[in-house]
Amino acid sequence: MSFPMDNFLNIVITIWNEGVFGINFNNITLGIFILLLFVFFRSLFSKIVVSRLKAIASKSKTKIDDEVLEAFSDPIRFIPIVLGVYISTAYIDLNQSLELFAANLNKSLITILIFWFMYKLIDPLSFFMNKYEELLTSDLVDWGIKLLKFFIFFIGAAAVLETWGIKVGPILAGLGLLSVAIALGAQDLFKNLISGILILLEKRFKNGDWIKVDNIVEGTVERIGFRSTLVRRFDSSPIMVPNFNFAENAVTNFSNMRNRRIYWTIGLEYRTTHEQLKNVRDKIEGYITSNNSFVKSTEEATFVRIEKFSDSSIDLLVYCFAATKNWGEWLEIKENLAFEIKQIVENEKAGFAFPSTSIYHENSPN
């Protein structure tokens, strides 16, 4: 039995000419070829365009244009795709329904491209917002940039949906009803969000600060988020603290203190003479006031005084501030002061007291 090849070839030719949806395969093949050609040359196109623009930007004195070009590198690579789709669909003879689909597709791609450029433009231009860091804090500026990016993304997505005849209004109305239901079960989320905003507005602390939250955590702030704040304890373990804790508990920010305080009570023996007490006090005070490691008494309170007579000692108060906020430097200054006080007491032939009890025994007559 012979296979009817002539009939088979006629069917192939007929299908090729009729094509799909009224478009013959010649046009489809050529349209795909045009699109693939643009895809193939998009890297070359982006390199040529970006290199040319970089050459122009390099002649300027500012760096903002270089950062803008760097941010635009991805959207620029997308331009040949948009052009390829547009030329391909324009070349193919489409019926009315497919022509409408192609028009919407081209509008969508162009809309995406425009909003992509706007989205990428935020990062290089965000340095203008950084000028307000003293007023708003860097974390609040970061939040503002994220919200602006989300707003651009949302508007772009809405514009694409409108192009395809999908109304955004009813969707937002439905989301509004849904958000009310969610809000009832997400009160903690909003409470944390509001607390986080207040932290940034009131500048309670910032990234890198050493803080202590009573009965919660003590450590270094690494990131202030919308819902929680990452605090790394001194044993290097990270703790995620919900933001509402900073509103409901006392927060000590050690990084904001001007200087570190030294507050000691030194006990001297009761056998210490009046002259020895005065000499020990004066020499300790002289060391503190003449040493640049300590804050001057005109800036912070400084006291070296006989405070009281305790049960087992004469107490000498040493109250001063080290001229540093660094914990390691503060420990070194305290250590040097301790060495000096020990040397002064020994040189004066006095002694340090320690808790003791004296028992007096009275002999009764036989």
Side-chain angles (χ1 to χ4, degrees), residues 202-214:
E202 296 177 359
K203 299 181 180 180
R204 298 178 187 176
F205 50 80
K206 60 183 182 298
N207 290 343
D209 283 357
W210 167 20
I211 66 170
K212 178 182 179 181
V213 187
D214 287 352

Side-chain angles (χ1 to χ4, degrees), residues 36-276:
L36 292 177
L37 189 65
F38 274 89
V39 172
F40 180 76
F41 284 107
R42 72 169 182 164
S43 296
L44 180 62
F45 168 81
S46 61
K47 284 182 181 179
I48 293 174
V49 173
V50 172
S51 330
R52 181 59 182 165
L53 292 175
K54 282 185 176 180
I56 297 173
S58 63
K59 298 178 182 178
S60 66
K61 296 181 180 180
T62 61
K63 293 184 178 180
I64 181 63
D65 47 4
D66 299 311
E67 294 180 1
V68 169
L69 285 176
E70 187 67 28
F72 282 174
S73 59
D74 289 335
I76 288 175
R77 290 192 184 94
F78 190 61
I79 292 177
I81 304 296
V82 177
L83 290 173
V85 172
Y86 176 78
I87 294 175
S88 299
T89 54
Y91 176 81
I92 300 174
D93 187 17
L94 302 172
N95 58 37
Q96 187 175 1
S97 60
L98 288 178
E99 188 174 351
L100 178 60
F101 175 83
N104 289 338
L105 178 61
N106 285 311
K107 288 180 182 178
S108 299
L109 291 176
I110 293 172
T111 301
I112 291 171
L113 182 63
I114 292 172
F115 278 93
W116 196 356
F117 273 109
M118 294 173 61
Y119 184 90
K120 299 294 285 186
L121 187 63
I122 294 175
D123 285 328
L125 293 183
S126 61
F127 78 96
F128 289 114
M129 297 183 66
N130 291 332
K131 294 180 180 179
Y132 300 97
E133 281 191 1
E134 291 187 4
L135 177 65
L136 302 176
T137 74
S138 60
D139 297 290
L140 194 57
V141 169
D142 290 340
W143 281 25
I145 292 172
K146 290 176 181 178
L147 288 174
L148 184 58
K149 284 184 175 181
F150 174 79
F151 180 75
I152 291 176
F153 177 83
F154 178 80
I155 297 298
V160 172
L161 291 175
E162 289 284 351
T163 300
W164 294 95
I166 302 173
K167 300 299 181 182
V168 180
I171 297 176
L172 291 178
L175 290 177
L177 294 174
L178 179 62
S179 64
V180 173
I182 293 175
L184 295 176
Q187 295 181 24
D188 288 343
L189 175 63
F190 291 107
K191 184 166 63 172
N192 286 320
L193 176 61
I194 294 171
S195 298
I197 294 174
L198 291 176
I199 289 170
L200 298 176
L201 288 176
E202 296 177 359
K203 299 181 180 180
R204 298 178 187 176
F205 50 80
K206 60 183 182 298
N207 290 343
D209 283 357
W210 167 20
I211 66 170
K212 178 182 179 181
V213 187
D214 287 352
N215 303 317
I216 303 294
V217 70
E218 180 178 359
T220 304
V221 178
E222 288 200 353
R223 186 182 70 254
I224 303 173
F226 287 100
R227 194 192 69 83
S228 60
T229 295
L230 175 61
V231 179
R232 190 169 295 276
R233 299 196 309 185
F234 295 122
D235 61 359
S236 79
S237 58
I239 303 293
M240 298 298 296
V241 183
N243 286 334
F244 77 88
N245 285 288
F246 302 108
E248 298 181 354
N249 296 277
V251 180
T252 303
N253 189 340
F254 294 102
S255 297
N256 279 350
M257 58 184 173
R258 295 188 298 269
N259 310 103
R260 287 185 176 274
R261 186 183 68 171
I262 298 174
Y263 185 3
W264 285 347
T265 298
I266 300 169
L268 299 175
E269 295 175 339
Y270 266 104
R271 66 178 180 84
T272 306
T273 65
H274 174 269
E275 192 66 26
Q276 287 174 321

Side-chain angles (χ1 to χ4, degrees), residues 89 147 267 278 297 309 343:
T89 54
L147 288 174
K278 287 187 63 177
S297 58
F309 295 97
Q343 186 66 46

